[in-house]
Amino acid sequence: MARGLNQVFLIGTLTARPDMRYTQGGLAVLDLSLAGQDLLTDESGQEKEVPWYHRVRLLGRQAEMWGDVLEKGQPLFVEGRLEYRQWEKDGEKRSELQVRGEFIDPLEARGRETLEDAKGQPRLRRALNQVLLMGKLTRDPDLRYTPQGTAVVRLGLAVKERRSRTGEGKTHFIEVQAWRDLAEWAGELRKGDGLLVIGRLVSDSWTSSSGERRFQTRVEALRLERPTRGPAQAGGSRPQPVQTGGVDIEEGLEDFPPEEDLPF
């Protein structure tokens, strides 16, 4: 399997003061809501700002350390990883992808520009939203074209977590999307190929046929690289231009509801 790489870096503002909760087993859980705006360049060379909102979950000592300190509007740096979770609800299998915070640090607010959305939530301009992943494709790419002729591809990426030198880690399943020339290049890949992804975190929401609100977090690729495996495959990595557009704590989460079931 391709070397597992799973890193998320965010800089944004807290949209509200976080509330700390505890699982039935006594594990502290702190959910942060972070907002910012990415500065992207479109095909015509014009810069545009794209807003984003992401949840970050802290567990254990990190949660207790920051639970009574953070306030609404605080600029915050987050380093973490994408965590894939799967569960069953009313006989239906569900899954989610959340940001597991591993290190956070409040940032100085002076000199930063924020906007306020319709709900009165502060959103940081010139924010940071970067994801680095390396894993294997779980299926052949799904390459399609919009009615306007723009190429878009959806990729399934399996990223294996390495918890120790000898221990087996969990595998995280992450949806990746790419556009235009990058999409057409990725469309030539096949299931099992290794892939390095550099991109930004995106959250989609929609209403299901039953009227239930659904959410999906995915990665929008800005750069893709094909890892090589030794001299026999040298030259197989094709750099791409930027395209805009321990204690195992898992056991302590078994009695904690998934994000969409939380009362907020």
Side-chain angles (χ1 to χ4, degrees), residues 232-250:
Q233 298 184 29
S237 179
R238 178 181 176 184
Q240 295 297 307
V242 172
Q243 304 290 328
T244 60
V247 176
D248 187 355
I249 58 178
E250 295 300 325

Side-chain angles (χ1 to χ4, degrees), residues 213-254:
R213 191 74 167 170
R214 295 290 184 88
F215 301 89
Q216 183 190 46
T217 299
R218 57 180 172 81
V219 174
E220 182 175 291
L222 303 178
R223 181 176 182 138
L224 298 174
E225 297 278 357
R226 177 78 188 280
T228 61
R229 285 282 184 167
Q233 298 184 29
S237 179
R238 178 181 176 184
Q240 295 297 307
V242 172
Q243 304 290 328
T244 60
V247 176
D248 187 355
I249 58 178
E250 295 300 325
E251 296 181 1
L253 285 177
E254 291 178 354

Side-chain angles (χ1 to χ4, degrees), residues 15-148:
T15 62
R17 190 179 189 280
D19 293 323
M20 187 157 64
R21 299 167 173 81
Y22 288 87
T23 67
Q24 293 179 5
L27 178 68
V29 179
L30 187 69
D31 284 302
L32 314 175
S33 181
L34 215 61
Q37 295 196 169
D38 291 339
L39 183 63
L40 304 177
T41 304
D42 61 23
E43 291 181 295
S44 64
Q46 298 297 313
E47 289 188 337
K48 61 178 181 179
E49 290 187 294
V50 181
W52 53 261
Y53 298 85
H54 295 309
R55 292 274 183 91
V56 177
R57 176 163 291 177
L58 298 177
L59 300 176
R61 183 174 176 272
Q62 280 277 326
E64 293 179 323
M65 181 187 305
W66 295 107
D68 296 326
V69 175
L70 301 176
E71 299 289 344
K72 176 180 177 179
Q74 172 70 58
L76 197 65
F77 168 74
V78 174
E79 177 185 347
R81 56 187 170 88
L82 293 178
E83 176 79 15
Y84 177 81
R85 295 184 64 199
Q86 193 173 39
W87 72 98
E88 189 170 307
K89 180 181 179 181
D90 299 329
E92 181 182 356
K93 288 186 177 180
R94 302 284 184 89
S95 64
E96 71 168 355
L97 193 66
Q98 62 180 215
V99 179
R100 176 72 63 82
E102 296 179 336
F103 172 82
I104 70 171
D105 203 356
L107 302 176
E108 185 179 24
R110 185 178 58 184
R112 299 183 185 274
E113 185 179 355
T114 59
L115 302 174
E116 192 171 279
D117 63 17
K119 296 182 179 180
Q121 299 177 127
R123 192 170 64 227
L124 182 67
R125 299 192 67 189
R126 306 280 177 164
L128 175 66
N129 177 5
Q130 186 176 57
V131 181
L132 303 176
L133 303 171
M134 185 181 287
K136 273 192 173 183
L137 294 181
T138 62
R139 62 179 187 269
D140 288 345
D142 181 13
L143 176 63
R144 302 185 183 187
Y145 291 85
T146 68
Q148 294 75 31

Side-chain angles (χ1 to χ4, degrees), residues 152-155 175-179 204 218-222:
V152 57
V153 70
R154 296 295 292 266
L155 308 167
E175 289 293 311
V176 178
Q177 182 169 287
W179 293 86
D204 295 326
R218 57 180 172 81
V219 174
E220 182 175 291
L222 303 178

